[in-house]
Amino acid sequence: MSTSPMNVVVGVAGGIAAYKACHVVRHFKEAGHQVRVVPTAAALNFVGAATFEALSGNPVSATVFDAVDEVQHVRVGKEADLVVIAPATADLLARMAHGCADDLLTTTLLVATCPVVVAPAMHTEMWEHPATQANVELLRSRGVIVLEPAHGRLTGNDTGPGRLLDPEQIVTLALAANASTSFRRDLEGKRVLITAGGTQEHIDPVRYIGNHSSGRQAYALAELAAQRGAEVSIVAANTEVLPTPAGAVVARVRSARDLQEAVFERAENQDVILMVAAVADVRPAEVAETKLKKGANDAQLQQLTLKENPDILRSLVQARDSGGMKAQPLIVGFAAETGSKERDALDLAREKLKRKGCDLLMFNEVSGDQVFGKLRNRGVLLGSDGSETPVADGTKLEVAGVILDEIAERLRRDS
Ligand code: CTP
């Protein structure tokens, strides 16, 4: 992700979500970028120019007839390194698609040659209308990155797709889009199942055995896969604090056996399954109904009898290879390894790939607390065909981009 300061134009169209543009501006400013807000006249009915001026530290105008001597309608677009429109209404999408230039925002868009990222917000009917969808398709075919809107509560009592993404998500996605080419719509219509988080195996009502995993890498994969056109389902083990990625459906589970059941319920029709979750290898043979007390239950606490959990990844591969699934999903495993004097971590991952039988295995080294809960990742993507693709250090969204590039390429080859 680019960290050098950029000139970011934040375009704001006239919808109720315009107030969230204030947070978009703040996030860009906090990340060290220069921001110029260009609202439409309608947007100024929702948020006043003074607010945008104070937040951005720059003058705000909606029309080409302000500061005419500065030829703003050309200058703002030319100087922009990134244009982000949040929210974009159905009307603005239509005007963009048809090259209208009747205010400062649309003229800026015609002049700008930098990446343009659009976050739509409107009622579901308007989003799903064939006219809007055709405009979105046309804009995407021209390289504009139109983000999928979130699914959720809209103004009034309705819910559905059309809600503006969270401002922080918009900024993260826009910066990632600007830094890479990973926003192609190359997973359009593909069904992708992603497991996330770490399972918890109950000892008693308050204690559990579990694995470290924030779920961030899985959520970044889900976020990006949905933005690349996939239908994404997440089976999430204990990831409550993370916001649901736009366009993804989340099923929540706790233990390895819950996760296994939820995955197998959904596995049948998937094109891709990514087993990102950290699955606890063992669980207590018995779960105590009441909290085990130290004195009274010393023996029970100190000598827990453990049972091995099912190997979900291995059994998915077996089910697929024995013809037990309608689709033939590409199956991807994840291995967080620590090396030792005797064993190289990458070698352990190579062995694991063979043992699990999956098509790809994303290996990362976790010695010294390098990955868990952090915002960055790196590693090597190992293929069952012997391929080894180094994944450079980057944000989890950037790492997700490399993994999804490889997956999209394999799906394309196999189709
Ligand atoms: N996995 C799984 N079921 C398990 C354990 C792991 O499906 N019971 C999956 C994980 O989701 C991950 C991959 O297998 O995609 C590797 O996980 P890891 O914990 O590294 O594998 P283990 O088989 O537990 O190997 P180790 O001996 O290193 O613990």
Side-chain angles (χ1 to χ4, degrees):
M1 192 178 288
S2 168
T3 46
S4 49
M6 290 188 292
N7 287 323
V8 181
V9 169
V10 174
V12 187
I16 179 66
Y19 75 94
K20 294 190 187 168
C22 299
H23 294 282
V24 172
V25 174
R26 285 200 78 137
H27 287 305
F28 275 122
K29 292 284 289 180
E30 277 163 15
H33 304 292
Q34 282 294 326
V35 178
R36 173 79 196 233
V37 181
V38 184
T40 62
L44 294 177
N45 288 324
F46 293 95
V47 181
T51 304
F52 289 136
E53 284 183 350
L55 289 172
S56 67
N58 274 313
V60 168
S61 121
T63 148
V64 294
F65 298 109
D66 285 339
V68 178
D69 56 320
E70 291 176 23
V71 203
Q72 282 202 90
H73 70 291
V74 178
R75 193 169 58 82
V76 176
K78 271 196 176 161
E79 286 176 3
D81 299 309
L82 172 67
V83 177
V84 177
I85 306 196
T89 55
D91 177 67
L92 182 65
L93 291 172
R95 291 196 291 136
M96 286 174 73
H98 294 281
C100 294
D102 48 2
D103 59 8
L104 185 58
L105 181 53
T106 46
T107 48
T108 298
L109 283 163
L110 285 187
V111 172
T113 51
C114 61
V116 176
V117 179
V118 175
M122 65 199 74
H123 285 277
T124 303
E125 294 79 358
M126 296 173 86
W127 172 247
E128 288 178 347
H129 193 283
T132 306
Q133 288 301 309
N135 289 332
V136 167
E137 207 172 302
L138 187 58
L139 289 168
R140 281 179 175 154
S141 73
R142 291 187 193 137
V144 174
I145 295 157
V146 183
L147 299 174
E148 291 296 323
H151 195 288
R153 180 83 193 271
L154 303 166
T155 324
N157 290 327
D158 45 346
T159 57
R163 192 180 151 85
L164 188 70
L165 291 172
D166 279 344
E168 204 174 344
Q169 280 176 306
I170 294 172
V171 173
T172 308
L173 287 167
L175 291 175
N178 187 51
S180 74
T181 53
S182 59
F183 274 66
R184 279 159 282 170
R185 299 284 299 177
D186 52 2
L187 295 174
E188 198 89 57
K190 299 290 180 203
R191 279 178 300 259
V192 176
L193 176 64
I194 302 176
T195 65
T199 68
Q200 294 179 358
E201 315 297 324
H202 273 287
I203 297 170
D204 64 21
V206 293
R207 300 184 180 89
Y208 63 81
I209 298 173
N211 283 25
H212 281 303
S213 178
S214 66
R216 286 183 201 281
Q217 185 60 69
Y219 271 56
L221 281 157
E223 185 103 61
L224 198 54
Q227 294 299 345
R228 287 167 78 152
E231 269 175 50
V232 179
S233 312
I234 303 175
V235 174
N238 314 300
T239 60
E240 279 76 9
V241 290
L242 297 177
T244 302
V249 182
V250 183
R252 301 204 173 275
V253 295
R254 184 120 208 200
S255 67
R257 284 184 300 166
D258 299 342
L259 187 118
Q260 180 186 35
E261 196 182 323
V263 164
F264 272 88
E265 266 169 25
R266 291 164 180 77
E268 183 106 72
N269 298 314
Q270 302 296 327
D271 296 294
V272 184
I273 302 176
L274 292 124
M275 281 294 299
V276 196
V279 182
D281 293 313
V282 290
R283 64 177 185 275
E286 275 174 46
V287 181
E289 277 176 24
T290 51
K291 186 180 174 195
L292 297 178
K293 293 286 172 201
K294 261 181 274 167
N297 310 104
D298 267 353
Q300 272 167 287
L301 269 175
Q302 287 166 17
Q303 292 156 24
L304 277 179
T305 311
L306 301 176
K307 267 182 122 166
E308 201 169 325
N309 270 331
D311 188 328
I312 305 163
L313 176 58
R314 179 90 198 99
S315 52
L316 278 170
V317 172
Q318 279 165 349
R320 178 195 64 186
D321 294 350
S322 60
M325 285 185 195
K326 273 196 214 126
Q328 287 286 301
L330 188 88
I331 301 179
V332 186
F334 285 72
E337 301 287 349
T338 56
S340 64
K341 262 190 249 137
E342 298 78 43
R343 298 304 308 270
D344 177 56
L346 181 57
D347 264 347
L348 291 170
R350 289 186 185 115
E351 267 173 30
K352 190 166 284 180
L353 172 66
K354 287 206 188 91
R355 198 165 71 239
K356 302 274 185 181
C358 49
D359 305 294
L360 288 167
L361 185 88
M362 172 66 195
F363 150 74
N364 55 25
E365 173 123 30
V366 290
S367 326
D369 203 14
Q370 289 183 65
V371 172
F372 296 126
K374 300 283 187 302
L375 300 177
R376 302 178 77 81
N377 198 358
R378 64 167 183 271
V380 184
L381 188 56
L382 306 173
S384 56
D385 53 5
S387 65
E388 296 197 357
T389 312
V391 181
D393 176 77
T395 63
K396 290 192 172 172
L397 208 54
E398 286 169 328
V399 167
V402 178
I403 297 170
L404 293 178
D405 284 350
E406 183 70 31
I407 289 173
E409 172 60 18
R410 282 171 189 247
L411 292 178
R412 197 187 54 75
R413 263 192 264 145
D414 294 346
S415 64

